[in-house]
Structure formats: structure tokens, C-alpha cells
Amino acid sequence: MNFTKTSQKFGQWADSRANTVFGLGFASEQQLAKFSEKFLEVKEAAKLAKEKSQEKMETSSEQSQESGRDTPLGNQASSFNGTDDEKISIGPENELKSEVEQRKGELELQALRESNARLQEALEEEKISAENWRSRVTQSQQEENQLRNQISELELQCKEVNLEKERNVQLTLRIQELETDLQDKQQELENLCKQAEIIPQLMAECENLTAKLQAAELKSQDLGEKLKLLQGEIDGSQHKHKNMKTELKKFMDVLDGKIDELHEVRQGISKLGVDN
């Protein structure tokens, strides 16, 4: 059997007779190396013991054949006294057993070679699998780097989106302020339109007041002329002075009232002009 190192701390060997593969794990690589060396020593010792056993069997077989020719059968049994190895009976059955054992050893050797070949194939497959795993790991690392770059880009895009959202919020607030100002301006415009509707009425009233003022001025002129006439009459007739003075006083009171009304009308017209 051949012991094979499958990794730094693990080894295995195959038993073709039992059709089984055995494996051992070690705490360190040094222990695995010592076990492998001891395995080889035991294997070599077993091989040497087997060869010596075969040589002894062949030597004893030759000696028995020579002694069988020269020595009677009665003395053959007495020549095989001594150690256990020397007490082996030599004959066709033992030779058949030796051949069977040799054939069995060859089959075991062939089975071990096949097992070793299978182990080599398994090692090659493991190497290929390891290379595949390495390439996959490298590919995974590259994909991870790509994903990290994509995440960084997405974070930048998210920051830009947040900035745009803040800008949109500010613009929304500005639009709301402008809409409020626009509503205020529309209300002012409506008020001005209402006031503009009142302006024709005010103009009509102003024209009426102007006509009244002109009439009052004409009356004032008439009254001035009458005043002159009265003054002439006063100068012409002294004796009627007292009576005319009383009438004149009444007339002057009326005139003062008209003048006050005229002043009030003028003040009203001036106020309307200022308001207009």
C-alpha cells in the first residue's frame, strides 16, 4: 500500500482487499512527515521480510529435493528439526500456496497502483478545482470592487438628488410667496376697479357742483350790480338811508350766506380735485 499526502496535514492510503480508502489528519505537517517516513520503513521492512521468507522457502525446497534423492524417506523427517522456519514441509501444495500468495501480492500491488492513479486523478481534480475557486474568488473580488464603485456612484447620485430636493423645496416656498403676492395684487386691482367705477359718478357730481358754482358766481355778479345800484341809491337819497340800511343789512346777511356757500362749494370742489 502507498501512503499519499493529500494536503499539509492530511494523508490517506487504500486497501484493495477491503476495497477501502483510509485517511488520517494530523495536528502539524511535521507529524504527517514522521508518519509518512515510518509508513515507508514498515513497508520496506515488510517487503524485505517477504523476500527473505520466499528465499528461505526456495532454499529449503531445493535442500529437500537434494536430500530426497540421497537420503531414505525415513531419514527425511529427522533432517527437518530445529526452528519453526525449518519445520516447513516442502511439497506441491506449499509451492501452490507460494504462487497464490505471489499472485495475490501482484494483484494487491496492481490494486494499489490503480488506487494511487485514482488518488493522483483526485489530486489533479482538486488542483483544477482549487484553480477554479481561485479564479472565482478573483472574479468575485473584481465584482465586489465594481459593486463598491457602483455604490459610491449611487451615493453621489443620492447626494445630488437630495440637493435637488432641497432646491425644489426652496423653489416651492418661493412660488407660494409669489402666489400670495399675486393674490394681494389682484385684490388691490379689484379695489381699484371698484373705485374706477365710482369715478364717473364723482365726475358727474363735480360737473353739477361746477354748474352750481357758475350759477352762484352769476348770482354774485348780479348781487354786485344790485349792490352798486343800492349804493347809488344810498348816495342819492340820504333820507332813505336808514330804511335802506336795514334792507341793505338784510341783503348783506343773505349775501354773506351765499358767499359762505360759495366758499364751501369751492372747498368741496378743491377736495374732489385732490382726491381725484
Side-chain angles (χ1 to χ4, degrees):
M1 293 183 290
N2 293 323
F3 181 78
T4 305
K5 295 179 181 179
T6 57
S7 66
Q8 292 181 353
K9 297 182 182 180
F10 191 82
Q12 62 185 15
W13 69 94
D15 187 355
S16 60
R17 292 173 298 181
N19 195 17
T20 305
V21 178
F22 300 95
L24 282 178
F26 298 88
S28 64
E29 188 175 358
Q30 289 78 11
Q31 292 181 0
L32 176 61
K34 289 181 180 179
F35 182 84
S36 178
E37 292 175 358
K38 183 60 67 175
F39 192 92
L40 291 174
E41 290 178 2
V42 173
K43 182 179 178 181
E44 293 295 330
K47 188 183 291 184
L48 292 173
K50 186 176 182 181
E51 291 176 356
K52 288 180 180 180
S53 176
Q54 288 179 356
E55 289 178 356
K56 286 181 179 180
M57 290 175 65
E58 291 175 356
T59 303
S60 61
S61 176
E62 291 176 356
Q63 290 177 355
S64 64
Q65 288 177 1
E66 290 176 356
S67 62
R69 296 190 188 97
D70 299 334
T71 307
L73 294 173
N75 295 329
Q76 288 180 2
S78 61
S79 65
F80 289 99
N81 293 327
T83 62
D84 293 334
D85 293 335
E86 295 174 349
K87 291 180 181 180
I88 299 173
S89 60
I90 305 301
E93 294 180 357
N94 291 329
E95 291 179 358
L96 181 60
K97 289 181 180 179
S98 178
E99 291 178 358
V100 170
E101 288 178 356
Q102 185 176 0
R103 181 63 178 169
K104 188 176 181 181
E106 291 177 355
L107 292 173
E108 290 178 356
L109 182 60
Q110 183 66 25
L112 288 174
R113 287 176 180 173
E114 293 176 355
S115 177
N116 191 15
R118 288 196 297 270
L119 290 174
Q120 291 293 334
E121 291 178 357
L123 286 174
E124 292 295 331
E125 291 178 356
E126 288 180 359
K127 288 180 181 178
I128 294 171
S129 178
E131 291 295 331
N132 292 331
W133 276 110
R134 286 177 184 174
S135 62
R136 289 179 182 176
V137 169
T138 304
Q139 186 177 0
S140 298
Q141 289 177 353
Q142 293 177 354
E143 291 177 354
E144 184 179 359
N145 292 329
Q146 291 178 358
L147 289 173
R148 287 179 179 176
N149 293 330
Q150 290 178 359
I151 289 170
S152 299
E153 292 177 357
L154 290 174
E155 288 178 351
L156 292 174
Q157 291 178 1
C158 289
K159 290 180 180 179
E160 292 178 357
V161 169
N162 291 329
L163 291 174
E164 289 294 331
K165 287 182 178 178
E166 291 178 357
R167 291 175 184 172
N168 290 331
V169 171
Q170 293 177 357
L171 289 173
T172 303
L173 294 174
R174 181 59 180 167
I175 289 169
Q176 291 177 355
E177 292 177 356
L178 292 173
E179 287 179 350
T180 304
D181 293 338
L182 181 60
Q183 290 177 358
D184 294 337
K185 295 296 182 182
Q186 288 178 351
Q187 187 66 35
E188 291 179 0
L189 182 61
E190 290 177 357
N191 294 330
L192 290 173
C193 290
K194 290 179 180 179
Q195 292 178 2
E197 293 176 354
I198 301 172
I199 287 174
Q201 297 178 359
L202 295 175
M203 292 295 294
E205 291 180 358
C206 183
E207 289 177 356
N208 293 327
L209 290 174
T210 302
K212 289 180 179 180
L213 180 60
Q214 291 176 356
E217 287 178 352
L218 292 173
K219 288 180 180 180
S220 178
Q221 290 177 0
D222 293 336
L223 290 173
E225 291 177 357
K226 289 179 180 180
L227 182 60
K228 288 179 181 180
L229 293 172
L230 289 172
Q231 188 68 35
E233 289 177 358
I234 289 170
D235 293 337
S237 58
Q238 289 292 328
H239 61 278
K240 294 181 179 178
H241 178 68
K242 291 181 180 179
N243 295 328
M244 293 297 293
K245 189 175 182 179
T246 301
E247 292 178 358
L248 181 62
K249 187 176 181 180
K250 291 180 181 180
F251 181 77
M252 289 298 291
D253 292 333
V254 173
L255 182 60
D256 290 333
K258 296 293 182 180
I259 290 170
D260 291 334
E261 289 179 358
L262 180 62
H263 284 295
E264 288 178 357
V265 170
R266 284 182 177 178
Q267 288 178 359
I269 290 170
S270 64
K271 288 181 179 180
L272 286 173
V274 172
D275 292 337
N276 191 11

